[in-house]
Amino acid sequence: MKKTPQTLTIAGSDSGGGAGIQADLKTFQELDVYGTSVITAVTAQNTTGVSAIYPMSPQAVQMQLGAVGSDFELAALKTGMLFNSEIIKEAVAAIRKFGWENIVVDPVMMAKGGADLLQQEAVDALKTQLLPLALLVTPNIPEAEALTGITITSAASRRYAAEQILGLGAKAVVIKGGHAVNAEYAEDYFLQTNGESVLYRSVRIVTDQTHGTGCTFAAAVTAELAKGQQLKDAIFTAKQFIQAALSEPLNIGKGHGPTNHAAYKAGMLGKKEVNKIEVFQ
Ligand SMILES: Nc1ncnc2c1ncn2[C@@H]1O[C@H](COP(=O)(O)OP(=O)(O)O)[C@@H](O)[C@H]1O
Ligand SMILES: Cc1ncc(COP(=O)(O)O)c(N)n1
């Protein structure tokens, strides 16, 4: 009997439903994998910002990880908001204990409104303990800068930052371009340890409805890996997924609205020229 691929997200809850655990589970569902979740923190959040953060105790995280690990056969997992170094330690311990592979680390540091989703003291633990276990790490530009101390202003500095991140032990990195000053394109730059690089380019969609883009992108990569796709193909599908999700806005909330997680499966991608993804190897 063929089993549905099983996945896990270790992340924070977004009461507004557009980012974090909620974005991840919606994305898993849309891409036909089974999603489980370990909640690291509960945020009181909507499209206008984060008003409070309630981290789970390390024990609460450990118990959730144990419950998932003792029952499910995970084909891939992602991490999102981890908040502090104690929670990172629990995630690392469970990854080792259960022998989980295909680990996608979205090094979530800050919400778009500026709230700290990773405490400063935890950046070191993320770098030294979690990144060495990652198949892929998916920083946006400010996160890649925080991980490396490099200011990204050009293709050369982006490549240099990617190399430094691989130096931390991740097998591959994709530096996402949502925050770049490129008005025309959103470019995601992929580099892996054998030196191979790929640039994924789409037309930049003019919208302020970008809440949860990073979570959704990493969850889509995770789902595709769980289905057995190669990393480069999984990233291509994730880029298509987020492009469709941005191009069919839901117009929900008073601030930075959530993306449309249903658009890709509903076939909206193929319908618009703007949604073509270019790939440069
Ligand atoms: N305006 C946009 N138009 C098209 N793609 C975008 C846009 N903003 C972000 N993306 C894409 O969304 C994904 C997440 O990128 P980014 O927004 O940089 O991450 P984060 O949410 O972590 O800050 C990437 O694939 C990026 O290229
Ligand atoms: C619980 C939680 N996790 C992550 C994000 C980052 O969201 P984005 O994907 O827009 O960077 C968020 N705002 N809230």
Side-chain angles (χ1 to χ4, degrees):
M1 201 172 37
K2 195 169 172 288
K3 279 193 195 155
T4 303
Q6 296 150 59
T7 58
L8 164 66
T9 169
I10 307 173
S13 166
D14 167 12
S15 52
I21 290 278
Q22 288 80 2
D24 295 344
L25 292 178
K26 289 173 192 179
T27 304
F28 290 161
Q29 185 75 16
E30 290 293 316
L31 290 173
D32 304 317
V33 299
Y34 184 82
T36 63
S37 59
V38 165
I39 297 184
T40 57
V42 171
T43 70
Q45 185 175 180
N46 59 26
T47 62
T48 68
V50 178
S51 47
I53 296 176
Y54 303 95
M56 296 290 111
S57 67
Q59 197 198 1
V61 173
Q62 187 187 88
M63 292 301 290
Q64 294 176 78
L65 287 162
V68 172
S70 61
D71 197 15
F72 298 91
E73 292 166 28
L74 301 182
L77 73 84
K78 77 168 279 264
T79 66
M81 171 186 182
L82 295 172
F83 196 64
N84 63 34
S85 58
E86 288 174 299
I87 292 174
I88 292 173
K89 282 198 182 76
E90 295 299 343
V92 166
I95 290 169
R96 291 192 191 287
K97 176 174 172 187
F98 296 109
W100 289 328
E101 292 178 354
N102 291 331
I103 315 286
V104 176
V105 175
D106 183 13
V108 172
M109 292 185 183
M110 228 183 247
K112 294 215 164 74
D116 255 333
L117 302 180
L118 184 73
Q119 294 191 325
Q120 198 50 44
E121 61 85 24
V123 175
D124 207 47
L126 183 92
K127 284 165 75 168
T128 59
Q129 295 174 42
L130 188 57
L131 288 194
L133 303 178
L135 174 65
L136 178 70
V137 51
T138 64
N140 60 26
I141 288 177
E143 289 158 356
E145 292 180 335
L147 290 171
T148 61
I150 296 164
T151 306
I152 299 174
T153 52
S154 62
S157 51
R158 182 176 60 190
R159 183 180 175 105
Y160 184 46
E163 286 166 356
Q164 298 302 304
I165 291 169
L166 295 185
L168 296 169
K171 292 189 186 63
V173 57
V174 60
I175 300 184
K176 300 169 297 187
H179 299 252
V181 285
N182 185 333
E184 212 176 337
Y185 299 114
E187 288 181 351
D188 299 342
Y189 176 72
F190 169 82
L191 182 70
Q192 57 186 6
T193 41
N194 66 4
E196 206 180 328
S197 68
V198 183
L199 189 70
Y200 301 86
R201 175 193 280 173
S202 66
V203 169
R204 181 175 291 276
I205 294 165
V206 181
T207 176
D208 62 354
Q209 299 183 46
T210 55
H211 182 63
T213 49
C215 305
T216 301
F217 175 82
V221 176
T222 307
E224 291 304 302
L225 288 174
K227 290 190 283 193
Q229 292 299 314
Q230 293 299 308
L231 194 46
K232 285 192 286 185
D233 298 331
I235 295 170
F236 182 72
T237 301
K239 181 75 173 150
Q240 289 187 314
F241 190 96
I242 197 65
Q243 188 76 4
L246 285 165
S247 74
E248 292 294 321
L250 292 171
N251 303 312
I252 287 173
K254 299 182 177 67
H256 290 285
T259 70
N260 183 350
H261 292 98
Y264 176 80
K265 199 172 186 181
M268 299 318 292
L269 185 76
K271 299 208 170 109
K272 288 185 175 173
E273 184 56 24
V274 72
N275 283 343
K276 203 165 152 273
I277 311 294
E278 290 182 280
V279 175
F280 304 90
Q281 307 246 11

